Amino acid sequence: MSLEVYWGSGSPYAWRVLLALEIKRTPYASRLIEFSKKQHKAPEFLALNPRGKVPVLKDGDFALSESLAIVAYLDRKFPEPPLFGRTAAETGLIWKSISEALHYLEPPAGRIIVPVFSDKVAEAAEDIAAAKPALHDELYRLDEALAGQDWLVGASITAADVAVYPFIEILLRVAGKGNAQPLDLGLLPLAKRYAAIHRWCERIRALPGYERTYPPHWRAAA
């Protein structure tokens, strides 16, 4: 098995790659990196990615980091089903959706996710409050986009869905944390607040192989 994937449980970026592999139905060797053991700083891992970050894809002697670069590599190497569209218009719309998520959804999401997971809610309370309107603006746009269709672009799942979905799941996990309750994030129940996003999440969760992508430490803590 030539493909090896180095990933971390709960990393949204690694989750993108795992989803892409399962959609492609491509065999791969899973290399779970344990951050608590500093495995991402081990010399053998730094030889693959000097930044010490996951994910990393190793294909024989070739190693590649950065999640969207890896998804693009996989799409070129395993063309079916295509994740970046079959037409120029589809490709453009997919990258537009990804770019909007990178520039408008992820920044406010990160301002909430990081302090909740690092247990620094009190110190970041004002910034979290400031980030909430921008986050909900983007979630509203996403919900509107999904209201009349199953996927973000076109008739089947694409790299746009793969890129955005992990951040939605992580936001939902954050919203369920005890230390997030005083923040009134307005995300739960998702089916009531953002019904179209909820249905989209359910479609992704029903994909074959999805369970292999789910963060194992989340399952263990359930």
Side-chain angles (χ1 to χ4, degrees):
M1 189 179 298
S2 65
L3 286 185
E4 299 175 71
V5 179
Y6 295 79
W7 60 287
S9 181
S11 161
Y13 309 104
W15 205 343
R16 288 171 173 168
V17 173
L18 296 177
L19 284 168
L21 286 161
E22 295 298 339
I23 292 165
K24 296 286 187 181
R25 309 301 291 271
T26 302
Y28 62 94
S30 171
R31 309 291 187 226
L32 178 60
I33 296 294
E34 295 188 50
F35 301 120
S36 62
K37 297 180 180 179
K38 305 294 184 183
Q39 291 178 348
H40 58 305
K41 300 299 183 183
E44 55 269 27
F45 183 74
L46 293 175
L48 298 173
N49 183 5
R51 295 184 186 274
K53 295 182 179 294
V54 295
V56 172
L57 177 77
K58 192 167 184 291
D59 187 3
D61 293 330
F62 177 72
L64 183 65
S65 58
E66 298 301 322
S67 63
L68 293 175
I70 294 172
V71 174
Y73 176 86
L74 292 171
D75 204 44
R76 178 59 68 92
K77 182 154 186 170
F78 307 102
E80 294 295 331
L83 290 177
F84 284 95
R86 296 187 184 276
T87 68
E90 285 180 348
T91 300
L93 289 172
I94 289 164
W95 275 112
K96 175 179 179 288
S97 184
I98 292 171
S99 296
E100 287 180 336
L102 292 175
H103 293 292
Y104 307 117
L105 174 63
E106 289 184 26
R111 289 163 63 187
I112 297 168
I113 292 167
V114 173
V116 171
F117 278 155
S118 60
D119 204 19
K120 295 182 178 179
V121 169
E123 300 93 318
E126 288 188 11
D127 191 55
I128 291 171
K132 281 166 54 179
L135 175 66
H136 282 285
D137 282 349
E138 292 309 308
L139 292 176
Y140 177 79
R141 289 173 182 271
L142 188 65
D143 199 66
E144 286 286 291
L146 288 164
Q149 58 196 52
D150 288 346
W151 307 105
L152 285 173
V153 179
S156 59
I157 193 168
T158 70
D161 306 285
V162 167
V164 176
Y165 168 78
F167 282 90
I168 302 301
E169 284 290 359
I170 290 172
L171 280 167
L172 296 179
R173 186 164 180 84
V174 160
K177 290 280 189 181
N179 62 343
Q181 300 315 302
L183 300 174
D184 189 25
L185 294 178
L187 295 171
L188 300 176
L190 185 67
K192 183 176 181 180
R193 186 65 189 268
Y194 295 109
I197 294 176
H198 170 74
R199 292 191 295 270
W200 172 71
C201 287
E202 289 295 295
R203 282 188 285 275
I204 294 176
R205 292 167 189 153
L207 292 171
Y210 173 83
E211 282 301 312
R212 286 188 288 272
T213 77
Y214 192 80
H217 81 283
W218 290 10
R219 188 178 291 109

